[in-house]
Amino acid sequence: MTTWKEYKNNIKSINPQEKKEIEDIEKLASIIGEIIKQRHNKGISQRELAKICGMPQSSIARIESFETTPKIDTLLKLMQPLGMTLNISYV
Amino acid sequence: MTTWKEYKNNIKSINPQEKKEIEDIEKLASIIGEIIKQRHNKGISQRELAKICGMPQSSIARIESFETTPKIDTLLKLMQPLGMTLNISYV
DNA sequence: ATATATGATAGCATTTTTGCTATCATAAGT
DNA sequence: ACTTATGATAGCAAAAATGCTATCATATAT
């Protein structure tokens, strides 16, 4: 069990650098999550999407389960058939 | 010199699959290009950005010169200090 | 002329992704 | 019970990115 003291220590231990890393992880998670969501919405299985993209089902499974961090081109290749793309925004 | 006949043959030879790949390449190029642009706008050198991101200058040079295709987390790590991020959009 | 900054590049080791193939557990439908 | 579909997973080889260090050519400033 995590005590309040431990919790607050953890909070304090998050420096700006760690905060940025967390933001990146969350961003990545949201992108992958949306891919999974859209694939489900369209009723496409991993095997079907894999065939469309010309890649093995195991690769998609690894990405969707966060086992690997995909390259940007792999990500775009996955998103294309789902009607998705990536855009730059400024904070 | 490219003749009209050759040009039209090239056009016809672009099947939907190739078209999607080209779109992905263009998207990637636009993202990388915007990173370079923003880095210049902020007057930051590759060495400086590298130090901020905690990665070697050579890695940034390789990405900006399209020598390598970065992983999505590497891309986000680069964009973060430039005030940029990636967002999903639907076509 | 000299010094400094910059981006590109090279070589090498390490890490990681990807492709390929196969299998497994589970769920759903017949 | 049996088949089918699905996602997860495993093992292995190949390809690729990354880290690290150093160097080079060029431009710019002093």
Side-chain angles (χ1 to χ4, degrees), chain B residues 8-9 17-18 20 22-24 31-32 35 39-40 42 46 51 55 61 71 76 80 85 87:
Chain B
K8 283 188 290 185
N9 282 339
Q17 175 60 26
E18 288 172 325
K20 289 177 182 174
I22 291 175
E23 283 179 28
D24 285 347
I31 293 174
I32 302 296
I35 288 179
R39 185 174 64 77
H40 287 161
K42 292 182 176 294
Q46 289 183 351
K51 181 139 195 170
M55 67 174 69
K71 290 190 289 176
L76 291 172
Q80 179 101 247
T85 190
N87 289 98

Side-chain angles (χ1 to χ4, degrees), chain B residues 10-22:
Chain B
N10 286 338
I11 292 293
K12 280 194 297 185
S13 72
I14 299 180
N15 58 44
Q17 175 60 26
E18 288 172 325
K19 190 176 177 183
K20 289 177 182 174
E21 291 173 4
I22 291 175

